[in-house]
Amino acid sequence: KNGRKKKTATHTMIFNLFLFDRKGTCLFRQEWKRLSRPSHHSADEDAKLLYGMLYSIKKFTDSLSPRPPKIGFKGYRTGCYRLHFYETETGLKFVMTTDVATVNVTDDLKEIHAQIYVEYAVKNPFYEMGQPIESELFREKLDSFVRTLPSFLK
């Protein structure tokens, strides 16, 4: 009406990825983009807060959902970001945050599990299950994979 075109998002963005074991230990964290000001918490505290929030939300949604617990909670959306959640049968939790325009990355999280976590952590003879993943090869393969996703803003 006023001659200006409405702006639409043409790019989506991946902010970060967390990997938690079934006990809530943060096994891995990678950040690509942070939109807000830096947290006043350490990276470990941020991971604990995120896991605690996810644990509470998942318990709540599982209690309300008629679907099996591993199928119910897939994530949530705020005005600033979208959180995507994938839990494996063994209790590994893959958590990715993206901008709100990113629709569904569940298949990408499944691929990260099968093609990167299994190949470069589980099959690594130096990796001890339940411990943080410190492999540079794991980090490189994950980063390379994420940068190829349509959701990754270059």
Side-chain angles (χ1 to χ4, degrees):
K1 294 179 181 180
N2 59 11
R4 288 188 280 175
K5 289 183 179 178
K6 184 179 178 183
K7 290 184 180 180
T8 58
T10 57
H11 299 289
T12 57
M13 192 177 313
I14 294 173
F15 299 140
N16 53 41
L17 177 107
F18 291 84
L19 171 57
F20 295 99
D21 70 6
R22 68 174 0 151
K23 297 176 185 175
T25 302
C26 184
L27 302 177
F28 186 80
R29 172 188 178 156
Q30 176 74 35
E31 188 169 287
W32 288 274
K33 178 76 174 169
R34 182 183 281 255
L35 288 182
S36 64
R37 57 188 159 83
S39 171
H40 296 289
H41 305 287
S42 70
D44 287 342
E45 289 171 328
D46 281 348
K48 286 177 185 175
L49 287 170
L50 176 61
Y51 185 82
M53 180 197 63
L54 289 170
Y55 179 85
S56 298
I57 290 173
K58 189 168 177 336
K59 283 290 186 192
F60 179 70
T61 57
D62 288 351
S63 71
L64 297 176
S65 176
R67 303 175 94 186
K70 298 261 192 256
I71 299 172
F73 179 68
K74 299 280 188 203
Y76 65 82
R77 178 183 163 196
T78 71
C80 299
Y81 69 94
R82 185 181 298 261
L83 181 137
H84 307 266
F85 180 82
Y86 168 65
E87 185 173 5
T88 68
E89 291 297 319
T90 59
L92 284 173
K93 294 157 187 71
F94 291 81
V95 182
M96 182 178 278
T97 59
T98 65
D99 70 358
V100 294
T102 304
V103 182
N104 185 341
V105 297
T106 302
D107 288 341
D108 299 326
L109 294 176
K110 288 178 180 180
E111 194 164 341
I112 289 169
H113 171 246
Q115 301 300 320
I116 298 169
Y117 175 75
V118 170
E119 292 299 319
Y120 299 101
V122 174
K123 291 183 179 180
N124 180 344
F126 300 107
Y127 177 63
E128 186 177 333
M129 297 299 282
Q131 295 299 310
I133 299 168
E134 297 175 355
S135 166
E136 208 43 51
L137 183 58
F138 175 87
R139 183 176 303 279
E140 288 170 9
K141 294 293 183 179
L142 175 68
D143 186 64
S144 177
F145 174 79
V146 169
R147 289 177 185 277
T148 66
L149 298 175
S151 303
F152 190 82
L153 181 64
K154 293 155 178 77

